[in-house]
Amino acid sequence: MKKLIVANWKCNPTSQKEARQLFDSLKKRLKNLKKTEVVICPPFVYLLGFRFPRSTPAFSEKGQGLRGRQVSSFRLGAQNCFWEEKGAFTGEISPAMLKNLGVKYTILGHSERRKLFRESNEMVNAKVLKALSFGLFPIICLGEDEEERKKGKTFRILEKEIKTALKKVPKSKIRKVVVAYEPIWAIGTGNSCLPDEALTATLFLRKIISKIFSKKTAENIPILYGGSVTSENAQDYLREQGIDGLLVGGASLRTEEFTKIVKSANIN
Ligand code: PGA
C-alpha cells in the first residue's frame, strides 16, 4: 500500500498568491514519488486554482501528469464538506461541488470542527455517507482529548467514533474510506503521541472495523496518524506496520519541512 501523506492547511494562508507559491514549490520538490500519495487540503477558496482540469490525464486515477508528464502523486482534498448535495444551506460546500472540481479526498470530523461547530458523530456519519455517494474518499478524523485519555477512556471514545462514522457505509464503498487517528491533545501542541501508543490505537480501530466489515477490510483500510508530526518524528510513525500515513497540520505549511516528511514516507 502506498503511504498517504495529507497536508491540512487549515485556515491558511491568507492570500491566493501565498497559497499558489506554497503549492507550486511543493509540486516542484515532490516529483516522481513512487511509494507515496500526497494530498493537499487547502481552504476551499484555493481549490479551484489548484485543480487539474478533467480533460487532462492528470485527472485520471493513474496519476498521469499534464500533457503526459508525470506530475503527480499529488491529489486535492477538502477540509470538510456538507451532507447534502445542494439547496438552501447558506455557507455550505457540497460533495457534488468538490467532486466536479476534481477533488479526490475530504477530511471529515476534524476535532477542531467537532469542538468549534459541535459536529457530532452523527453529523460526521451523514457527511461520510454523502461524500462516498459522490465518489469522494473521506478521511475520517477521530481521537480522544486529554481528559478522556487521563480517565482511560481512549478505546471507548475511539469505538464510539468509528462505529458511528461508519454506520450504513455500504460494503462496496468501504475501500474509499481513510481513517486518521488524531489524539486531540497532540494536535498543534508539539506534544506528539508516542509511536507505540499511536500503533495501539490503530490496531484497536482495525479490530473494530474487522468486526463491522471483515478482517480483510480492516487490514486494507488506510489508517493515518496525525498530531504534531514533524520531519523529526515522521519516520517513527511510518516505520510501524499498521500506520499507513500521516495527517500533517502546521508542518505542511513549511515547504522544506513538509518535503522532508514526504520524502521520509517515500523511502519506507
Ligand atoms: P498539527 O495538526 O500537525 O499542527 O498538530 C494536525 C491536524 O490538525 O490535522
Side-chain angles (χ1 to χ4, degrees):
M1 190 192 291
K2 275 190 177 186
K3 296 283 183 195
L4 195 58
I5 307 293
V6 182
N8 177 13
W9 288 5
K10 309 195 182 190
C11 192
N12 301 290
T14 52
S15 73
Q16 190 168 8
K17 193 173 162 210
E18 288 167 281
R20 181 84 249 171
Q21 278 168 354
L22 180 56
F23 187 71
D24 285 347
S25 61
L26 288 173
K27 230 169 59 179
K28 208 166 90 192
R29 282 173 175 77
L30 298 169
K31 280 187 184 145
N32 300 320
L33 300 170
K34 302 227 161 47
K35 300 181 185 167
T36 314
E37 184 165 331
V38 177
V39 184
I40 305 291
C41 304
F44 287 127
V45 290
Y46 303 133
L47 282 168
L48 184 62
F50 296 170
R51 78 189 171 138
F52 301 117
R54 253 182 196 285
S55 57
T56 67
F59 189 79
S60 84
E61 300 267 310
K62 292 200 183 88
Q64 291 296 313
L66 289 164
R67 291 179 212 94
R69 271 182 293 133
Q70 275 276 331
V71 276
S72 260
S73 314
F74 259 63
R75 292 289 177 271
L76 285 181
Q79 297 174 18
N80 176 38
C81 82
F82 194 45
W83 59 71
E84 294 288 354
E85 175 185 356
K86 60 180 179 176
F89 306 107
T90 303
E92 294 298 334
I93 304 287
S94 89
M97 295 171 190
L98 295 172
K99 185 66 185 176
N100 287 330
L101 210 59
V103 170
K104 178 173 177 183
Y105 292 91
T106 179
I107 295 174
L108 293 175
H110 192 282
S111 60
E112 285 154 12
R113 297 194 59 84
R114 289 181 190 258
K115 189 168 173 217
L116 272 168
F117 306 112
R118 298 187 195 283
E119 277 193 11
S120 64
N121 288 329
E122 288 70 24
M123 286 156 86
V124 174
N125 175 240
K127 291 179 177 198
V128 168
L129 295 178
K130 207 58 163 191
L132 284 170
S133 79
F134 281 95
L136 293 174
F137 287 59
I139 302 171
I140 304 169
C141 298
L142 34 82
E144 79 290 359
D145 67 21
E146 176 88 68
E147 202 183 312
E148 290 158 347
R149 180 183 187 225
K150 277 190 189 143
K151 289 187 178 155
K153 289 184 180 169
T154 299
F155 288 160
R156 229 179 305 161
I157 297 291
L158 294 184
E159 182 166 357
K160 176 98 186 120
E161 288 184 334
I162 192 71
K163 276 187 173 165
T164 317
L166 295 180
K167 220 174 208 167
K168 297 198 180 140
V169 168
K171 264 202 185 113
S172 59
K173 299 261 163 69
I174 191 69
R175 65 170 192 86
K176 294 199 164 176
V177 171
V178 178
V179 174
Y181 171 59
E182 294 215 303
I184 298 169
W185 49 268
I187 296 178
T189 57
N191 183 18
S192 59
C193 178
L194 289 172
D196 262 6
E197 239 181 287
L199 183 65
T200 307
T202 61
L203 293 176
F204 177 77
L205 287 165
R206 285 191 208 278
K207 200 170 92 187
I208 304 294
I209 296 165
S210 89
K211 278 188 200 156
I212 310 171
F213 293 93
S214 67
K215 196 164 170 253
K216 191 157 177 254
T217 301
E219 278 166 10
N220 289 335
I221 226 167
I223 303 189
L224 320 179
Y225 167 75
S228 295
V229 171
T230 63
S231 60
E232 312 248 290
N233 62 24
Q235 277 277 4
D236 301 338
Y237 300 107
L238 293 168
R239 71 166 67 95
E240 299 285 1
Q241 288 276 335
I243 300 182
D244 304 306
L246 300 167
L247 207 169
V248 187
S252 72
L253 294 165
R254 297 192 298 276
T255 309
E256 292 307 328
E257 179 69 359
F258 189 66
T259 301
K260 280 190 203 160
I261 292 173
V262 174
K263 289 200 167 156
S264 62
N266 207 45
I267 55 170
N268 265 278

